């Protein structure tokens, strides 16, 4: 397969991941407004695999694009452009927006909290959802470096051993003492940044090892769809056996259950997307996942969506709950479509891209070949 051609079912899987991310954040916001008993189990299911899904997809793409055969320095430079440049750009944007909030709305955000956000940004711990970008960058660099230095068997053992070490030391990441002074805060942030990168290697390995099987059969199949549904159902069962987890804060509960559940959910989504028809909506979310991830919260898209949706819901007489959620889905999609257009057309340099020619933009809209696959 041509490594420069987008793999549509992986884009759709990324789209599912972004939709789940937004749904999880919406659930967190709605619980304080209009609590529903199905919110906690829904959030628990979503958080059990929606972030590992992106790392698994990245592992598949590392195999497809044969990154290990390229010069490591060249790979690191390119990954830095596509992951760390957007991280730096959005970190600056967030910081400027937070200064505005501190000055005009001090009851929402104080300057000491702004100082904490600054430390998080410069240590690559990340503010809000931005933690994912340095975690993916560090994970891919570590994985590719180890892949060059070790055989297959040793690589698997080393990465699994690292996972066990992270499990035993996971209580350290939640130590409240990290927040007592700037020095400890910086040390804790650096430790968590490194730990996320090593944890990412486990899911990169899972995607890398499975890529050959996934790419072997390109045609859609009903058994493949059933297997995907079964794996997703298995993830649903395991997540309630394990409990609440969070990749960002390195909360695993039972580590082995967490990894197995995350892999089941991730491959369940990938297999379902591979064996169903093409969805232009999911492709939109998937191909623009970096922009949507970085803007749906801090650009107040979600906040305005909730406000508008509840206002419109006052005029609905039937099926108010279903209409409310449908309105939110439409509002977020419309608002994000506008933001995506602006970034792709005018602020492409902030997301590590070159200025697209008109013909290239048409190709992007039609999901035709592009220069490089992206994990986000």
């Amino acid at each position: 397969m041509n490594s420069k051609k987008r793999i549509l079912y992986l884009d759709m899987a990324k789209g599912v991941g972004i939709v789940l991310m937004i749904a999880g954040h919406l659930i967190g916001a709605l619980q304080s407004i209009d609590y529903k008993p199905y919110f906690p189990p829904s959030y628990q299911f979503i958080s059990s695999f929606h972030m590992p899904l992106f790392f698994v997809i990245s592992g598949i793409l590392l195999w497809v694009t044969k990154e290990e055969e390229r010069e490591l320095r060249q790979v690191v430079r390119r990954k830095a452009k596509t992951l760390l440049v957007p991280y730096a750009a959005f970190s600056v944007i967030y910081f400027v927006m937070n200064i505005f909030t501190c000055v005009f709305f001090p009851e929402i955000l104080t300057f000491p909290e702004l100082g904490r956000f600054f430390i998080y940004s410069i240590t690559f711990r990340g503010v809000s959802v931005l933690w994912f970008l340095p975690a993916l960058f560090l994970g891919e660099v570590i994985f590719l470096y180890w892949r060059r230095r070790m055989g297959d068997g040793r690589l698997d053992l080393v990465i699994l051993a690292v996972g066990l070490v992270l499990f035993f030391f996971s209580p350290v990441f939640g130590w409240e003492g990290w927040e007592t002074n700037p020095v400890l805060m910086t040390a804790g942030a650096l430790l968590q940044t490194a730990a996320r990168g090593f944890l990412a290697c486990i899911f990169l390995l899972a995607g890398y090892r499975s890529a050959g099987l996934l790419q072997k059969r390109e045609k859609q199949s009903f058994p493949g769809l059933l297997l995907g549904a079964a794996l997703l159902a298995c993830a649903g069962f395991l997540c309630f056996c394990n409990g609440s987890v969070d990749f960002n804060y390195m909360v695993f509960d039972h580590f082995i259950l967490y990894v197995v559940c995350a892999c089941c959910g991730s491959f369940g989504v990938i297999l379902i997307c591979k064996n169903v028809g093409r969805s232009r909506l999911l492709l939109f979310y998937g191909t623009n996942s970096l922009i949507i991830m970085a803007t749906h919260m801090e650009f107040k898209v979600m906040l305005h969506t909730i406000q508008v949706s509840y206002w419109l819901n006052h005029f609905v007489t039937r099926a108010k709950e279903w209409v409310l959620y449908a309105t939110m889905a439409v509002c977020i999609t419309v608002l994000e479509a506008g933001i995506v257009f602006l970034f792709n057309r005018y602020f492409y340099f902030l997301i590590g891209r070159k200025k697209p020619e008109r013909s290239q933009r048409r190709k992007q809209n039609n999901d035709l070949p592009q220069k490089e696959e992206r994990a986000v």
Side-chain angles (χ1 to χ4, degrees), residues 173-245:
F173 304 121
W175 181 48
E176 295 180 357
W178 295 121
E179 303 294 321
T180 55
N181 62 68
V183 174
L184 284 175
M185 193 181 299
T186 302
L190 289 171
L191 178 65
Q192 195 159 30
T193 299
R196 289 184 191 136
F198 285 113
L199 178 58
C201 288
I202 295 177
F203 299 111
L204 289 168
L205 177 66
Y208 188 89
R209 290 285 181 243
S210 65
L213 292 174
L214 286 169
Q215 295 299 103
K216 189 175 181 180
R217 184 183 180 88
E218 295 190 19
K219 293 183 178 180
Q220 297 176 3
S221 69
F222 185 67
L225 181 63
L226 286 181
L227 177 59
L231 287 173
L232 204 56
C234 182
F237 172 75
L238 291 177
C239 80
F240 296 118
C241 295
N242 187 29
S244 297
V245 297

Side-chain angles (χ1 to χ4, degrees), residues 85-266:
V85 167
Y87 173 82
F90 281 109
S91 293
V92 171
I93 292 172
Y94 286 8
F95 192 72
V96 172
M97 294 171 67
N98 285 329
I99 290 176
F100 178 86
T101 303
C102 285
V103 172
F104 295 98
F105 304 98
E107 69 279 4
I108 298 177
L109 184 68
T110 63
F111 277 101
E113 291 176 311
L114 182 64
R116 176 163 56 89
F117 289 168
F118 177 74
I119 291 175
Y120 285 177
S121 295
I122 63 174
T123 56
F124 295 97
R125 185 187 187 280
V127 176
S128 186
V129 296
L130 294 184
W131 67 267
F132 171 77
L133 298 176
L136 179 59
F137 172 79
L138 187 59
E140 289 190 335
V141 170
I142 293 172
F143 180 84
L144 290 172
Y145 177 81
W146 283 350
R147 183 78 181 83
R148 288 166 173 265
R149 296 294 186 271
M150 304 175 187
D152 287 346
R154 287 179 60 196
L155 176 67
D156 295 352
L157 289 175
V158 168
I159 290 180
L160 292 176
V162 167
L164 291 176
V165 171
L166 290 176
F167 166 66
F168 285 114
F169 282 92
S170 60
V172 175
F173 304 121
W175 181 48
E176 295 180 357
W178 295 121
E179 303 294 321
T180 55
N181 62 68
V183 174
L184 284 175
M185 193 181 299
T186 302
L190 289 171
L191 178 65
Q192 195 159 30
T193 299
R196 289 184 191 136
F198 285 113
L199 178 58
C201 288
I202 295 177
F203 299 111
L204 289 168
L205 177 66
Y208 188 89
R209 290 285 181 243
S210 65
L213 292 174
L214 286 169
Q215 295 299 103
K216 189 175 181 180
R217 184 183 180 88
E218 295 190 19
K219 293 183 178 180
Q220 297 176 3
S221 69
F222 185 67
L225 181 63
L226 286 181
L227 177 59
L231 287 173
L232 204 56
C234 182
F237 172 75
L238 291 177
C239 80
F240 296 118
C241 295
N242 187 29
S244 297
V245 297
D246 194 312
F247 197 119
N248 183 7
Y249 294 100
M250 303 293 287
V251 176
F252 311 127
D253 207 353
H254 301 287
F255 185 73
I256 302 298
L257 271 181
Y258 168 68
V259 172
V260 173
C261 177
C263 288
C264 286
S266 299

